[in-house]
Amino acid sequence: MSDAFIARLRAQGGRYHNLHPFHVRMDAGQLTREELQRWVANRFYYQKCIPLKDAAIMANCPLVEVRREWVQRIIDHDGEGEGTGGTESWLRLGEALGIGRDELRSERGVLPPVRYAVDAYVNFARQKPWIEAVASSLTELFGPSAMRVRLEALERHYPWIDPAGLEYFRTRLVQAPRDAQYALDLTVEHCRTPEQQDAAVAALRFKTEMLWAQLDAIERGDTQP
């Protein structure tokens, strides 16, 4: 039964945002500087909200052994001190693309649909059972292979980007498989009934749709008047 459940979860990779036309163009070297900057500025809002999502999962989880493990995700993004962590790495990516960190932090470039989608994800983690929120994080099953392609494409097609600014992706190639395996093990362990498994698959589908919606907005470049 668990094999079939895992197969259903992995099948959601067919909805992952690496297949979005925007990412396809990025990997082919077809994005303009302005499009890449728009992507980095909007994705930063998602990056800064990831620890809020993970804190919500911990707040809802009654299992101390899970909280001890899950807190590492917050540390990975927020860092253990000034100048460390994934959010800091994304600020450096912005600088490598010509966007100052004050500009990123100001959120002036965040499109309303992107903000709405990310906030919906954080609220999902706050309001849903903790194990469904854990299942939603399983997009990390699909992330590393897509990230390898993205890293290679950014280095090859966009030589004007300072390679030092791409460290975020190199770090996540190590962290994401570890995180994905732990989350997958938790999901399989705590989702035993058909209803629980359906809810877990739906949670993961929701996450893929949230990521896709972000890219829809970023591709259009809609702004609020």
Side-chain angles (χ1 to χ4, degrees), residues 2 8 33-34 37 41 49 52 61 77 81 85 108 121 123 150 152 169 190 198 212 223:
S2 63
R8 289 179 65 198
R33 184 184 297 248
E34 187 273 334
Q37 290 174 333
C49 287
L52 303 182
C61 179
H77 279 276
R108 283 191 292 265
Y121 182 44
N123 287 330
R150 186 179 311 153
E152 191 274 336
F169 303 111
H190 292 277
D198 287 347
W212 197 278
T223 56

Side-chain angles (χ1 to χ4, degrees), residues 5 9 53-54 56-63 66 70 73 121 124-138 180-193 195-204 207:
F5 177 38
L9 293 168
K53 174 268 298 184
D54 288 320
I57 291 174
M58 291 179 61
N60 289 334
C61 179
L63 304 177
V66 173
W70 206 265
R73 292 169 175 254
Y121 182 44
F124 181 94
R126 287 173 175 158
Q127 297 167 7
K128 291 290 187 177
W130 69 273
I131 193 59
E132 291 182 31
V134 166
S136 75
S137 76
L138 287 172
Q181 187 60 56
Y182 181 66
L184 180 61
D185 292 343
L186 278 180
T187 303
V188 171
E189 178 183 356
H190 292 277
C191 296
R192 301 291 184 87
T193 70
E195 293 76 16
Q196 289 170 330
Q197 293 180 356
D198 287 347
V201 172
L204 180 51
K207 174 69 176 300

